[in-house]
Amino acid sequence: MNTRFLDACKGLPVDRTPVWLMRQAGRYLPEYMEVRKSCTFLELCKTPELAAKVTLQPVDILDVDAAILFSDILIPVEPMGMKLDFVPGPVFAEPVRSMADVERLCIPRMETAVPFVLETIAILRRQLAGRVPLIGFGGAPFTLACYMVEGKGSKDFMAIKKMMYAEPETYSALMVKLTSMLAEYLNAQIHAGAQAIQIFDTWGGILSPADYEKYVLPYTSRLIRCLDARDTPVIHFVKGAGTMLETVKKAGAHVVGLDWHVNLASAREILGSTPVQGNLDPGVLYAPEEIIEAEVRRIIGENGGRPGHIFNLGHGILPTTPSGNAKFLVECVHRLSQR
Ligand code: CP3
């Protein structure tokens, strides 16, 4: 069993730095596109045999040290009562805009609402047979709220900010509901066999540090406290968190994810002994091999041999990335970090 990833999450020493890539299953892999030809993205997420198949592709092709469940952060929002589409970005035709909209949302029983997620996890644990650990995941309450209130991706996040500042009661009712739903959802993943959990707060960085602390932190920390995480490390990735790492640390996750706007050495100074994950700019994967190698050397150097580093990108891999470069990156991390 390759326990490098789980050991690093616990801050234990490892033989070489574990590496996986956010969004490692996806369109940059021709093998994924082949499966994706026969169905929509949502059908793929909801068909356990296929979801398991594409989860394993980067493990086989890239030799990463962890698998991550193939799904989407918005999957558990649909059974709350919101019709979801991907075109290819997520779209909710009827966004949440009022207290009445929030009151209509339900917190479903996970075994009946998302049986396919739990079954995919069970299949994967059997198929992986200890080869590498399996990561489960969910969105943070705030990032889910952004999509549910905006109705789709956004540049200025006007609708969610308007609700947050002008109708704080509606905002907090929505966040409370999402926090409870996510606790059920992520605990169901843990009980089904997920060996670590990553919480994605892609949009946490659109707020000032003070507003992050006031409007986001209480809900994410409550979520993390509710997780049955005695043996299951929790990774908390907030994109744009570089200026508020002390605050993000207070949420209480075992591991803090870092984008590429922060220097790894300074982040580790601020975070003390808390393990970190990151932090290569995904754009570097367009560069020739010498540059990829130099960047890996730089990041491993900034970590300075401290235990508790998981190498990753600072955000999801881009769909037009040459897959050979992703494979080269993984090989480089393993070779350059060999103890
Ligand atoms: O990491 C993995 O390999 C697991 C799979 C995974 C997907 N989405 C599959 C996906 C994970 C962990 C996610 C998380 C996710 N989804 C986030 C948080 C991480 C991040 O990137 O910020 C967010 C914000 C979403 C919402 C989402 N889903 C968007 C904005 C989009 C469209 C943009 C895009 O990349 O196309 C998706 C679609 C999506 N999710 C695809 C995949 C493979 C592409 C779907 C396709 O095949 O057409």
Side-chain angles (χ1 to χ4, degrees):
M1 157 97 148
N2 171 354
T3 59
R4 232 173 256 139
F5 164 77
L6 291 173
D7 289 343
C9 287
K10 294 178 195 146
L12 299 172
V14 284
D15 59 343
R16 52 194 201 186
T17 303
V19 51
W20 69 279
L21 310 180
M22 288 193 271
R23 306 282 292 263
Q24 65 189 11
R27 288 161 295 179
Y28 76 102
L29 284 177
E31 293 83 352
Y32 171 85
M33 292 312 286
E34 191 54 38
V35 178
R36 179 71 173 71
K37 271 202 313 222
S38 62
C39 59
T40 67
F41 172 62
L42 270 176
E43 285 163 353
L44 184 46
C45 292
K46 293 178 184 180
T47 311
E49 293 70 26
L50 291 181
K53 182 174 175 169
V54 298
T55 301
L56 294 177
Q57 287 176 342
V59 179
D60 292 332
I61 299 165
L62 307 182
D63 194 29
V64 284
D65 295 296
I68 180 162
L69 167 72
F70 187 82
S71 185
D72 197 86
I73 57 166
L74 296 167
I75 287 288
V77 174
E78 198 174 37
M80 293 181 86
M82 293 190 69
K83 175 87 190 80
L84 171 65
D85 264 321
F86 281 91
V87 291
V91 177
F92 292 110
E94 293 178 54
V96 172
R97 291 291 161 85
S98 66
M99 189 60 108
D101 293 341
V102 175
E103 280 165 0
R104 269 194 298 274
L105 296 171
C106 68
I107 301 177
R109 266 196 65 236
M110 295 303 159
E111 290 73 13
T112 45
V114 289
F116 48 87
V117 169
L118 309 179
E119 202 185 324
T120 304
I121 292 174
I123 294 175
L124 280 166
R125 284 298 304 274
R126 282 197 298 277
Q127 293 183 343
L128 282 164
R131 189 145 59 115
V132 292
L134 175 64
I135 306 171
F137 73 91
F142 182 69
T143 288
L144 295 189
C146 286
Y147 284 106
M148 292 163 79
V149 174
E150 297 291 337
K152 53 184 179 350
S154 173
K155 284 202 162 45
D156 52 22
F157 296 92
M158 215 131 69
I160 182 79
K161 287 190 179 179
K162 199 167 150 198
M163 179 185 284
M164 199 176 89
Y165 293 117
E167 290 182 61
E169 282 161 13
T170 307
Y171 172 82
S172 92
L174 175 60
M175 292 291 280
V176 164
K177 225 167 200 177
L178 282 170
T179 304
S180 307
M181 182 283 284
L182 284 162
E184 304 260 334
Y185 181 58
L186 295 176
N187 279 329
Q189 289 190 26
I190 293 171
H191 300 142
Q195 291 158 288
I197 290 290
Q198 174 147 331
I199 298 174
F200 286 91
D201 208 353
T202 305
W203 303 123
I206 65 167
L207 301 179
S208 70
D211 283 345
Y212 176 87
E213 182 140 14
K214 179 168 171 196
Y215 293 104
V216 178
L217 180 68
Y219 305 96
T220 309
S221 359
R222 161 122 55 103
L223 172 61
I224 293 171
R225 275 199 308 277
C226 287
L227 296 184
D228 197 354
R230 274 159 305 187
D231 299 314
T232 314
V234 177
I235 306 167
H236 182 200
F237 170 69
V238 183
K239 184 151 185 288
T243 56
M244 49 189 191
L245 288 173
E246 291 96 337
T247 314
V248 171
K249 181 180 171 171
K250 284 197 242 168
H254 303 88
V255 181
V256 170
L258 303 171
D259 67 18
W260 63 95
H261 298 281
V262 58
N263 170 285
L264 189 71
S266 10
R268 297 221 71 168
E269 282 303 310
I270 296 168
L271 292 166
S273 60
T274 302
V276 296
Q277 174 178 282
N279 70 336
L280 181 70
D281 181 339
V284 169
L285 290 180
Y286 293 118
E289 292 188 346
E290 311 81 81
I291 294 187
I292 298 174
E293 178 150 347
E295 282 291 286
V296 170
R297 207 181 285 282
R298 175 181 65 78
I299 290 173
I300 290 175
E302 281 172 10
N303 184 60
R306 280 171 279 217
H309 176 217
I310 299 141
F311 199 103
N312 205 318
L313 304 177
H315 195 202
I317 191 165
L318 298 161
T320 51
T321 301
S323 60
N325 286 0
K327 191 170 160 60
F328 178 76
L329 169 70
V330 173
E331 185 268 310
C332 245
V333 173
H334 285 156
R335 175 164 45 85
L336 296 176
S337 66
Q338 189 77 42
R339 311 278 193 271

